[in-house]
Amino acid sequence: MRFEPVIGLEVHAQLDTETKIFCSCSTSFGASPNAHTCPVCTGMPGVLPVLNHQAVTFAIKTALATNCTVARESRFDRKNYFYPDLPKGYQITQYAAPIAEHGHLDIELEDGSEKRIGITRIHMEEDAGKLIHDPDRPKSMVDLNRTGIPLVEIVSEPDIRTPKEAGAYLRKLHAIVRYIGVCNGNMEEGSFRCDANISLRPVGQEEFGTRTELKNLNSFRNVEKAIAYEIQRQTYRLEEGHKIVQETRLWDTARNRTASMRSKEEAHDYRYFPEPDLVPLIVDDDWMTEVRESLPELPDAKKARFMEQYDLSGYDAAVLISGRSLADYFEAAAKGLKEAKLAANWVMGPVLGLLKNGEITIENVPVNAGQLAELLKLLEANTINAKAAKTVFDEMVASGKTPAEIVKAMGLEQVSDQSALDDMVTQVMDANPEELEAYRGGKTKLFSFFMGQIMKQSRGKADPKVITQILKEKL
Amino acid sequence: MELHALTIAQAKKLLADREISSVGLVSAMLDRIEAHDAKVGAFLTVDRKGALAAASAADARLANGEDAPLLGIPVALKDLLCTTGVRTTCGSKILEEFVPTYDATSVDMLKKAGAVIIGKTNMDEFGMGSSTENSGFHVTRNPWNLDHVPGGSSGGSAAAVAARMCTASLGTDTGGSIRQPASHCGIVGLKPTYGRVSRFGLVSYASSLDQIGPITRTVRDAAIMMNVIAGHDPKDSTSAAVDAPDFTSALAEFDANGLSGMKAGIPKEYLGMEGLDPEVEKAFADARKVLEDLGVEIVEVSLPHTDYAVAAYYVLAPSEASSNLARYDGVKYGARQKDADGLIDMYKKTRSKGFGPEVQRRIIMGTYALSAGYYDEYYGRASRVRTLIMDDFAKAFEGCDIIISPVAPTPAFKIGENVDDPLTMYLSDIFTLSANMAGIPGLSVPCGISETGLPMGLQILGKRFDEMSVLRAGYGFEQSAPSFPGLPEL
């Protein structure tokens, strides 16, 4: 029997607000344990939560960017369970009435076609703290800095069928939350986390099979690997006549496999009920309008515009819009050029070549977009040729000087003067009689030899187009 | 002059005239506590040092000619209100060592108004009880008769005021916990409208029902306290963004215009109710007569869902409590039991040893009511009953300004009498807890004394945010009622 995987993803994205969702503690990462805590986020008896307006704005942004319908009235609930990283003994979340529902994202499949993945709901909640287990100490420690950091949970419909689709959906969602500036997307720090629900069913069957939930998927690669593993594991189990056990499984990064964490029987009864310390959240028209107007152009729209406006291929546009800063860089570099493709090539080539993981980013790359634009304008005006342009670029990186200064100092202006180049061609032909004879005897490949010799003699400044023309005439 | 017997209004005048000092007044209270609290048991913590320091500071300000609404007045707080640096036990062993790092908003407002916090009063553990017998530390006795309970859960605050160990106190009321002990102790207690007083710093029992209010000697004192503690608090999302009036102007309104034109409803469901003590019935009839003589028109109203109120309340309140009390698990809060074998065992031992039986009973009830498969039948249904009760009151108030009833079906019972019968104890909340379900204000004012010398109170309920009518009627009644023995001898 052949099986079809049914996959749904639950993504937790930390909202990049200054302060926590129900108090004014800082959300910044990396502080010493419990430095960013107060009576409210540590659940001291008697405290009450007050909802962070910015967090709601970010949740609405996320909802609009994923084509969701935002609820005019949503509510918060308590999810009750005991765990040492949860000081109140409950998490404040949205259960019965989430802030947004019924969205979707379109992903691109390998064959170039598009597929729509539904988004069931987006709800807001507070993050829990972190346990620190030091093998040298008999006790575990609790760090509550993360407690109360605002999260949105984005729940997809079970529309995903392959690990690749899961990866594509996740990458797209990741790009969007970073684009709209609501989440820094750092997966290692846990700012963007993913759980996956997976079940198999015989091809053609409508009813879902028993699902397992995968946790601890802390990179795109791991999401794809873990899902692939789990599909295979479930396939074997079913083929061997076993039943799938509904359970939560943990991805073991070191051993590349999933292992059971807890079964359905051990699952918590969260005893959800309406949070009595908060009032219903009302999002009025003014708030919606304000958020809608603050939304930047989204990746899909930007890609389409780049292809149209700059006459770029789908591939080039996809690379250039992959980050908002990169797209802005490209647009600034292409400004005033006749051929935007020239800027695209330079950005995707030499500029991206300068980036180093984390250290050099598009925001602080040594050649800014304005400087690159100057250089490309010189190239487009035939003031310098392509070879010289690369030399100038390297010098710009090294010295920080402007392209015009460098061209002048290094004497790199292109020589396009017909009579000067005529002489040069004659000299080179005279100096290489054997090659000339061979060429005239049919070895036309030697054309590039002559080109090379002339470029060498002109120290790279000769205009290749003009030389080609002269050479063709004289040879 | 017996300093400890002064009302806020009297003490304020003498302090302003520099006839007495705050240190003198506070010392008189401390002496009184010293002399009598061993038998009454009103206090869990007496902050002698802090109180005397605050009194000296108040005297300095008074000497400067400064004025503030409660400058130099000794006030006691139910031990459910957080106080910076002073332990806040909630009447529970599990919080015996808990010292908050912040003041409740109401406490902060009292301090800003110049009040001297004299100590923290005993209570039923986490507010769960009607007799103060459920304290994790000791019982509090009724100053009128030490064999009887003072009521609860704010029994310590009520006993302290009745025994003149403080000039006024704050209590909290989730189902009657201010009004019923005030009634049993022969003093005044006001549960304000839900949202009128910030709950920030009130350790939650049932968040949607809890409300802080004053327990005082007179209605005027209650109004003075309300002027200090009422108002919107940005730290409490459920506190109402409504301006608080000058509550004492309700009293001036009575002085100027009496009560004529006011309509008081008596719910027909409350009349002849089973278990209503004949003495309570008579005291209520007498009170009704006093109001009628003042020109109040008595009308019959109906609260048809009264029969379901107690049942619904005892689903909703324990449900919220089961969640609110989850944080006392021995990890960050709650005295951790050390002899545990692993995390789960530590949770179990900490909570089994730290909570008293009534608290455990309500946590179990609430946990059950919220669990998967039972939620709709219990919590869901109780919530719908709550809506019906709100509608009942809204409809009843279309035909009247206030609703009157006894506060409790009986005078204070004997210590130990109902300990093994939680259901009887729960049913004794019948007249009070509907006000919490509906979120409306309710006042308890003394209206009689039983043959055995135990006080009984009249309850006056009002529309949401209409404490003014309640205070005006209560003050009118207080001024016009036949002489009440005043205060108990100790």
Side-chain angles (χ1 to χ4, degrees):
Chain A
M1 198 189 300
R2 294 216 311 116
F3 294 103
E4 175 188 50
V6 175
I7 303 159
L9 297 183
E10 292 171 9
V11 170
H12 284 92
Q14 275 186 6
L15 297 177
D16 215 356
T17 52
E18 293 281 311
T19 56
K20 293 185 179 181
I21 186 166
F22 298 123
C23 66
S24 52
C25 285
S26 165
T27 55
S28 64
F29 185 79
S32 59
N34 299 306
H36 293 164
T37 60
C38 73
V40 174
C41 58
T42 58
M44 187 175 281
V47 299
L48 298 170
V50 177
L51 183 59
N52 180 340
H53 188 271
Q54 186 68 40
V56 180
T57 293
F58 280 6
I60 299 171
K61 261 190 173 180
T62 311
L64 292 176
T66 52
N67 309 296
C68 286
T69 306
V70 175
R72 289 188 65 89
E73 179 177 332
S74 64
R75 288 192 302 277
F76 287 87
D77 299 282
R78 289 188 186 176
K79 177 179 180 175
N80 296 284
Y81 63 98
F82 287 94
Y83 202 65
D85 68 4
L86 193 69
K88 296 192 299 292
Y90 57 84
Q91 179 195 32
I92 303 178
T93 181
Q94 295 191 303
Y95 178 67
I99 185 149
E101 289 179 291
H102 312 306
H104 64 261
L105 287 185
D106 294 327
I107 59 168
E108 203 171 303
L109 302 183
E110 278 175 309
D111 63 5
S113 64
E114 277 201 342
K115 176 172 177 177
R116 177 157 291 188
I117 307 296
I119 289 174
T120 315
R121 56 185 275 155
I122 294 180
H123 64 256
M124 308 176 64
E125 60 188 26
E126 57 178 342
D127 211 342
K130 199 169 73 176
L131 297 187
I132 302 167
H133 307 286
D134 180 347
D136 296 332
R137 299 171 97 150
K139 293 179 178 175
S140 293
M141 313 297 276
V142 186
D143 177 5
L144 298 178
N145 281 347
R146 206 177 64 185
T147 308
I149 288 189
L151 301 176
V152 281
E153 180 172 340
I154 304 158
V155 183
S156 87
E157 290 286 318
D159 291 344
I160 299 166
R161 294 289 171 268
T162 67
K164 280 254 161 65
E165 286 179 22
Y169 167 81
L170 208 57
R171 284 186 179 88
K172 181 135 202 184
L173 188 57
H174 187 251
I176 288 175
V177 294
R178 279 162 55 231
Y179 242 77
I180 60 177
V182 302
C183 173
N184 68 29
N186 192 321
M187 293 179 87
E188 278 166 21
E189 290 173 7
S191 307
F192 190 88
R193 315 195 277 269
C194 176
D195 301 336
N197 289 300
I198 300 162
S199 63
L200 299 188
R201 63 182 172 192
V203 171
Q205 180 183 305
E206 197 149 325
E207 202 185 317
F208 293 147
T210 305
R211 68 185 165 88
T212 59
E213 184 181 7
L214 300 188
K215 285 189 178 287
N216 195 32
L217 312 176
N218 58 1
S219 73
F220 295 124
R221 253 176 68 77
N222 278 332
V223 171
E224 293 180 11
K225 275 160 72 178
I227 291 173
Y229 175 90
E230 186 60 17
I231 290 170
Q232 199 165 55
R233 188 191 70 86
Q234 290 192 18
T235 306
Y236 290 160
R237 297 287 298 169
L238 291 171
E239 281 173 353
E240 285 166 10
H242 298 292
K243 285 199 162 145
I244 302 300
V245 180
Q246 187 177 334
E247 61 186 353
T248 302
R249 297 179 69 85
L250 220 55
W251 173 246
D252 184 336
T253 317
R255 299 161 85 177
N256 279 327
R257 62 188 194 107
T258 63
S260 180
M261 184 175 132
R262 60 169 178 255
S263 71
K264 189 190 174 191
E265 286 69 37
E266 296 167 88
H268 300 288
D269 176 357
Y270 290 119
R271 291 171 285 120
Y272 290 99
F273 76 104
E275 165 57 283
D277 289 332
L278 289 169
V279 292
L281 168 59
I282 310 291
V283 180
D284 60 16
D285 291 343
D286 287 351
W287 198 353
M288 282 293 288
T289 307
E290 190 187 308
V291 177
R292 195 171 274 125
E293 284 171 358
S294 76
L295 267 187
E297 186 180 28
L298 294 174
D300 278 354
K302 198 178 280 263
K303 184 181 168 194
R305 179 169 65 81
F306 276 20
M307 290 171 70
E308 167 77 24
Q309 181 180 341
Y310 299 115
D311 199 20
L312 298 178
S313 69
Y315 175 81
D316 286 357
V319 172
L320 291 171
I321 62 110
S322 66
R324 213 168 126 191
S325 306
L326 180 64
D328 289 348
Y329 186 102
F330 160 73
E331 290 207 86
K335 208 171 177 188
L337 292 187
K338 289 189 213 86
E339 296 270 344
K341 172 73 179 151
L342 180 66
N345 290 345
W346 275 77
V347 171
M348 285 160 43
V351 174
L352 286 184
L354 292 174
L355 304 192
K356 266 194 217 137
N357 206 5
E359 278 172 60
I360 302 176
T361 64
I362 197 71
E363 283 90 0
N364 64 6
V365 72
V367 176
N368 70 35
Q371 292 165 333
L372 180 65
E374 265 183 65
L375 174 65
L376 298 182
K377 274 175 206 149
L378 293 176
L379 182 57
E380 210 170 55
N382 278 331
T383 310
I384 53 174
N385 63 31
K387 192 160 181 296
K390 183 66 177 64
T391 308
V392 175
F393 182 83
D394 291 343
E395 185 57 24
M396 286 164 76
V397 173
S399 69
K401 290 189 183 132
T402 69
E405 283 168 354
I406 295 167
V407 168
K408 201 169 175 198
M410 295 176 80
L412 291 172
E413 290 96 341
Q414 185 158 252
V415 180
S416 309
D417 177 63
Q418 186 87 25
S419 65
L421 290 176
D422 255 354
D423 292 350
M424 218 180 277
V425 172
T426 311
Q427 275 173 33
V428 168
M429 284 167 71
D430 290 350
N432 299 285
E434 284 171 30
E435 284 78 5
L436 185 62
E437 202 171 320
Y439 180 88
R440 287 185 171 153
K443 270 199 148 183
T444 50
K445 272 189 194 161
L446 282 165
F447 188 82
S448 56
F449 166 79
F450 289 105
M451 277 293 286
Q453 290 298 312
I454 295 161
M455 289 308 283
K456 200 171 161 188
Q457 185 134 349
S458 73
R459 288 187 296 134
K461 296 189 291 184
D463 184 339
K465 276 185 227 147
V466 180
I467 307 171
T468 306
Q469 200 189 334
I470 299 172
L471 258 180
K472 275 187 178 158
E473 280 168 19
K474 296 204 169 186
L475 280 172
Chain B
M1 181 172 18
E2 282 195 322
L3 290 181
H4 56 260
L6 298 171
T7 63
I8 296 177
Q10 292 164 345
K12 246 187 85 71
K13 181 157 191 322
L14 294 171
L15 284 166
D17 295 345
R18 315 283 340 273
E19 287 190 31
I20 62 170
S21 69
S22 178
V23 169
L25 182 58
V26 169
S27 300
M29 296 302 181
L30 291 169
D31 291 348
R32 186 99 182 144
I33 293 168
E34 186 83 16
H36 299 292
D37 204 39
K39 48 182 191 272
V40 176
F43 283 85
L44 287 172
T45 303
V46 178
D47 185 15
R48 170 175 284 273
K49 232 175 104 184
L52 286 172
S56 297
D59 281 333
R61 289 175 64 187
L62 284 161
N64 261 338
E66 282 181 52
D67 187 26
L70 295 173
L71 191 53
I73 305 290
V75 175
L77 304 172
K78 187 179 188 178
D79 209 18
L80 198 61
L81 297 170
C82 284
T83 42
T84 311
V86 177
R87 73 170 188 152
T88 300
T89 68
C90 304
S92 181
K93 282 280 182 195
I94 211 162
L95 287 180
E96 190 164 7
E97 309 290 332
F98 170 57
V99 179
T101 59
Y102 73 101
D103 277 330
T105 297
S106 55
V107 175
D108 186 46
M109 289 168 118
L110 285 179
K111 286 182 177 173
K112 287 200 171 107
V116 174
I117 309 301
I118 196 160
K120 310 291 291 285
T121 57
N122 198 18
M123 54 184 285
D124 288 300
E125 189 175 359
F126 288 103
M128 299 180 190
S130 313
S131 66
T132 317
E133 292 168 291
N134 295 336
S135 165
F137 300 97
H138 54 77
V139 298
T140 297
R141 292 168 184 276
N142 193 318
W144 291 85
N145 183 334
L146 298 175
D147 291 335
H148 287 250
V149 300
S153 65
S154 311
S157 284
V161 172
R164 289 142 288 166
M165 295 171 178
C166 58
T167 310
S169 67
L170 285 187
T172 68
D173 190 316
T174 307
S177 286
I178 286 174
R179 290 159 287 161
Q180 184 253 27
S183 171
H184 284 352
C185 291
I187 49 177
V188 173
L190 174 66
K191 181 204 97 74
T193 307
Y194 185 81
R196 180 66 102 179
V197 178
S198 168
R199 292 187 297 114
F200 189 80
L202 151 63
V203 179
S204 297
Y205 156 25
S207 313
S208 71
L209 303 162
D210 296 338
Q211 189 62 198
I212 298 169
I215 296 176
T216 54
R217 204 81 41 75
T218 64
V219 175
R220 180 176 297 282
D221 281 3
I224 294 171
M225 292 284 279
M226 281 300 289
N227 275 355
V228 173
I229 60 172
H232 176 62
D233 179 10
K235 288 188 211 158
D236 174 3
S237 309
T238 65
S239 96
V242 226
D243 287 337
D246 172 5
F247 292 96
T248 58
S249 69
L251 284 39
E253 175 69 18
F254 170 77
D255 289 336
N257 299 316
L259 295 183
S260 55
M262 195 175 244
K263 277 189 190 172
I266 297 179
K268 63 178 184 197
E269 291 80 6
Y270 288 4
L271 296 168
M273 188 176 264
E274 209 182 316
L276 192 62
D277 184 286
E279 283 195 279
V280 170
E281 207 164 4
K282 171 152 194 323
F284 179 63
D286 292 346
R288 169 191 169 146
K289 180 86 176 41
V290 171
L291 289 172
E292 278 178 312
D293 289 347
L294 285 166
V296 174
E297 183 190 341
I298 304 290
V299 296
E300 186 184 85
V301 294
S302 176
L303 300 172
H305 296 93
T306 298
D307 277 354
Y308 307 102
V310 174
Y313 176 88
Y314 278 98
V315 170
L316 294 177
S319 292
E320 291 183 19
S322 71
S323 175
N324 283 329
L325 272 58
R327 72 193 67 193
Y328 313 113
D329 60 7
V331 177
K332 180 129 181 79
Y333 302 105
R336 185 184 304 175
Q337 294 297 322
K338 301 225 187 297
D339 57 337
D341 178 21
L343 180 67
I344 301 296
D345 191 45
M346 189 279 281
Y347 284 156
K348 285 181 180 167
K349 288 202 164 108
T350 292
R351 292 169 67 80
S352 299
K353 291 187 183 171
F355 290 133
E358 182 60 28
V359 171
Q360 294 193 31
R361 183 180 294 129
R362 293 195 196 187
I363 290 175
I364 291 167
M365 289 199 298
T367 304
Y368 185 81
L370 289 176
S371 50
Y374 296 101
Y375 179 89
D376 284 341
E377 275 298 297
Y378 290 96
Y379 189 89
R381 192 172 285 225
S383 299
R384 291 193 288 280
V385 170
R386 181 181 191 163
T387 307
L388 292 172
I389 288 171
M390 286 176 161
D391 293 347
D392 281 358
F393 275 102
K395 217 169 275 164
F397 277 122
E398 283 171 13
C400 60
D401 306 295
I402 55 170
I403 288 175
I404 56 170
S405 74
V407 175
T410 65
F413 48 82
K414 276 198 169 133
I415 290 169
E417 199 177 320
N418 282 331
V419 172
D420 297 325
D421 187 0
L423 209 56
T424 299
M425 199 87 98
Y426 294 172
L427 287 169
S428 73
D429 296 338
I430 181 67
F431 297 126
T432 47
L433 56 73
S434 293
N436 300 77
M437 301 276 270
I440 59 174
L443 179 77
S444 171
V445 57
C447 71
I449 194 128
S450 74
E451 279 177 16
T452 53
L454 290 165
M456 293 169 286
L458 167 70
Q459 175 172 253
I460 304 172
L461 301 175
K463 299 170 189 167
R464 292 188 69 225
F465 296 104
D466 188 18
E467 285 86 356
M468 298 298 272
S469 295
V470 168
L471 287 168
R472 181 178 161 201
Y475 176 70
F477 176 79
E478 179 187 61
Q479 300 303 305
S480 320
S483 68
F484 184 77
L487 295 163
E489 293 304 319
L490 279 175

